[in-house]
């Protein structure tokens, strides 16, 4: 039995996610900006602010949901919270389910608030959790908002995964209607279709993170935990972040769409924002950075992202994110073919 067999599930997720960092192909290569040559912008006049949950944020990116539930992940959440505090970044916890079941791991989540008492924090639960659980998750972190994750593709590959999805929709409706915090429904890296997002919209969901393929891959992460690795054929399951954002286009006037999945640098962030995302969540990139470089270097990385985003806005002649959304894009390859063949109605 190796070290990984002994690991708790949350530690194995972190370990396996970090092992596969940088291995996935994204569709961002198929999205190109049309370079405009003449610009009218000045660095200090660039406005990167965005609105999420009817609240304004200075930067359009945040630390997306990851972890909690063990001693190791407590340390990791502490590091994320320090970065979030120093950089004024919103941050999501990992799924709080573990703490709802086992009070002894609560501190691996509450460390987020201890380290960052005034920051914008999102609690996270699966849609298998009901309103009562959602309230407990929010209370635990004194959270400003709640993320509900949809992870059916992960659950089916997970040996001990959920085998009954009949309650997911009822839980979402109940939580959206009755929780006194704004709610974001998110995928965990398999992307969303127009039909899924349209349906969520009809249930009253106002904010959706498409979280597509191209980055952390939970089919591979869970398959690696299976003795016989039967589900390697699921490695390519789902829609990329780029394709999910294309699917979301008809919904963007009414629903706030957020992008995550495989976003690791400012150019990819810019492409997601140009495709209409209101903000960008990053998990794998922040995990890799705190584990391999530490907190101080991650804070420097965020500052550098901020500078790079402003510089890229300058070369694209865009003063703010509204202008970026109207800039010229060339979409080729698989996403272009997908859009051509797909009937969205
Ligand atoms: C995740 N993700 C995740 N999502 C969620 O809603 N609840 C969770 O508990 C977790 N747990 C988790 C653990 C680890 C180690 C990672 C790396 C990720 C999924 C995450 O929020 C995001 O949707 C995907 O990881 C895709 O984004 P990246 O990693 O490609 O930037």
């Amino acid at each position: 039995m190796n070290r990984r067999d002994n690991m708790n599930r949350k530690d194995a997720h972190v370990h396996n996610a970090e092992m596969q960092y940088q291995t996935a192909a994204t569709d961002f290569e198929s999205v190109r900006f049309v370079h405009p040559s003449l610009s009218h912008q000045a660095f200090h006049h660039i406005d990167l602010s965005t609105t999420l949950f009817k609240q304004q944020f200075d930067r359009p990116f945040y630390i997306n949901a990851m972890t909690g539930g063990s001693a190791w992940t407590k340390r990791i959440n502490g590091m994320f919270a320090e970065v979030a505090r120093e950089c004024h970044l919103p941050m999501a916890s990992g799924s709080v389910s573990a703490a709802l079941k086992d009070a002894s791991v609560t501190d691996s989540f509450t460390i987020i608030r201890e380290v960052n008492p005034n920051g914008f924090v999102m609690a996270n639960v699966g849609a298998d959790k009901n309103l009562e659980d959602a309230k407990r998750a929010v209370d635990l972190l004194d959270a400003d908002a709640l993320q509900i994750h949809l992870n059916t593709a992960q659950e089916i590959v997970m040996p001990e995964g959920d085998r009954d999805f009949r309650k997911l929709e009822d839980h979402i409706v109940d939580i959206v209607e009755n929780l006194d915090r704004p709610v974001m429904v998110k995928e965990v890296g398999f992307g969303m279709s127009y039909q899924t997002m349209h349906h969520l919209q009809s249930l009253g969901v106002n904010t959706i993170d498409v979280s597509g393929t191209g980055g952390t891959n939970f089919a591979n992460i869970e398959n690696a935990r299976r003795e016989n690795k039967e589900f390697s054929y699921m490695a390519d399951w789902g829609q990329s972040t780029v394709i999910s954002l294309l699917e979301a286009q008809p919904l963007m006037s009414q629903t706030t769409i957020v992008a995550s999945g495989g976003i690791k640098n400012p150019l990819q962030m810019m492409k997601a924002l140009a495709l209409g995302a209101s903000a960008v969540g990053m998990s794998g990139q922040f995990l890799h950075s705190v584990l391999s470089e530490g907190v101080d270097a991650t804070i420097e990385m965020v500052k550098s992202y901020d500078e790079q985003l402003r510089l890229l806005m300058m070369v694209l002649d865009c003063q703010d994110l509204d202008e970026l959304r109207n800039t010229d894009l060339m979409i080729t390859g698989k996403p272009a073919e997908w859009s051509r063949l797909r009937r969205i109605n």
Side-chain angles (χ1 to χ4, degrees):
M1 197 180 255
N2 63 27
R3 181 172 163 251
R4 238 191 306 164
D5 295 325
N6 283 320
M7 270 187 192
N8 114 345
R9 183 160 68 88
K10 298 298 169 175
D11 289 352
H13 285 168
V14 169
H15 177 85
N16 293 352
E18 180 59 4
M19 292 298 283
Q20 54 162 260
Y21 174 78
Q22 210 58 286
T23 55
T26 76
D27 273 336
F28 283 105
E29 301 76 28
S30 300
V31 179
R32 291 186 70 93
F33 286 106
V34 179
H35 171 58
S37 296
L38 182 62
S39 180
H40 305 80
Q41 307 305 322
F43 187 83
H44 291 293
H45 290 164
I46 299 292
D47 178 4
L48 292 176
S49 68
T50 192
T51 306
L52 207 54
F53 307 125
K54 300 195 173 121
Q55 200 171 317
Q56 187 156 345
F57 294 91
D58 290 345
R59 293 202 194 87
F61 62 95
Y62 62 90
I63 303 173
N64 211 357
M66 271 175 275
T67 203
S70 67
W72 187 33
T73 58
K74 176 182 177 180
R75 287 204 300 281
I76 294 171
N77 269 339
M79 293 196 277
F80 289 147
E82 211 177 320
V83 175
R85 183 190 66 209
E86 294 306 307
C87 301
H88 306 286
L89 283 186
M91 167 180 174
S93 74
S95 172
V96 184
S97 310
L100 300 180
K101 273 186 269 176
D102 175 2
S104 74
V105 297
T106 302
D107 61 340
S108 64
F109 295 94
T110 51
I111 180 96
I112 294 171
R113 260 301 172 224
E114 261 168 57
V115 173
N116 188 15
N118 303 316
F120 190 94
V121 170
M122 293 176 265
N124 181 292
V125 292
D128 60 314
K129 295 289 172 290
N130 63 21
L131 175 64
E132 217 41 54
D133 295 327
K135 283 182 177 164
R136 285 173 63 205
V138 164
D139 287 348
L140 190 70
L141 288 170
D142 188 20
D144 302 281
L146 179 76
Q147 290 185 331
I148 304 177
H149 67 256
L150 294 172
N151 68 335
T152 55
Q154 175 186 3
E155 294 290 340
I156 65 154
V157 181
M158 196 189 301
E160 68 280 46
D162 196 355
R163 295 294 180 257
D164 186 348
F165 298 137
R166 286 175 295 180
K167 291 264 166 63
L168 305 185
E169 181 165 329
D170 289 349
H171 290 159
I172 293 172
V173 171
D174 199 17
I175 293 170
V176 167
E177 279 177 10
N178 296 305
L179 191 75
D180 60 352
R181 296 288 194 289
V183 173
M184 172 192 293
V185 174
K186 72 183 286 289
E187 247 293 344
V188 300
F190 297 97
M192 288 201 200
S193 69
Y194 167 80
Q195 282 79 4
T196 300
M197 290 183 271
H198 186 254
H199 192 73
L200 289 172
Q201 189 182 62
S202 76
L203 300 180
V205 176
N206 293 320
T207 308
I208 296 174
D209 173 1
V210 301
S211 204
T213 65
T216 304
N217 183 326
F218 267 96
N220 289 345
I221 288 174
E222 296 297 355
N223 196 43
R225 295 179 53 244
R226 295 184 74 92
E227 206 175 319
N228 298 323
K229 323 282 182 237
E230 305 91 322
F231 284 94
S232 44
Y233 56 75
M234 289 292 283
D236 192 28
W237 188 265
Q239 284 91 250
S240 71
T241 302
V242 168
I243 286 176
S244 302
L245 289 172
L246 294 174
E247 295 268 316
Q249 295 299 311
L251 306 167
M252 284 181 178
S253 58
Q254 287 177 65
T255 303
T256 302
I257 300 292
V258 172
S260 74
I263 299 174
K264 293 193 170 79
N265 67 49
L267 181 57
Q268 291 172 332
M269 284 189 223
M270 292 284 284
K271 289 177 178 177
L273 295 164
L275 284 167
S278 292
V280 166
M282 284 184 288
S283 295
Q285 179 64 10
F286 276 111
L287 182 66
H288 180 68
S289 184
V290 297
L291 290 182
S292 63
E293 311 288 337
V295 169
D296 290 346
T298 305
I299 292 169
E300 288 311 310
M301 179 183 85
V302 171
K303 289 183 185 160
S304 169
Y305 283 174
D306 189 279
E307 183 186 9
Q308 291 174 57
L309 286 173
R310 286 171 202 278
L311 294 169
L312 290 169
M313 292 284 281
M314 284 174 69
V315 77
L316 288 169
D317 196 17
C318 296
Q319 200 195 344
D320 57 29
L321 298 185
D322 278 341
E323 290 188 12
L324 181 64
R325 270 174 218 123
N326 288 315
T327 200
D328 282 344
L329 288 173
M330 177 67 148
I331 298 171
T332 59
K334 203 166 118 200
E337 192 188 359
W338 178 285
S339 296
R340 191 170 57 77
L341 296 176
R342 183 101 159 94
R343 274 184 305 136
I344 292 178
N345 48 37

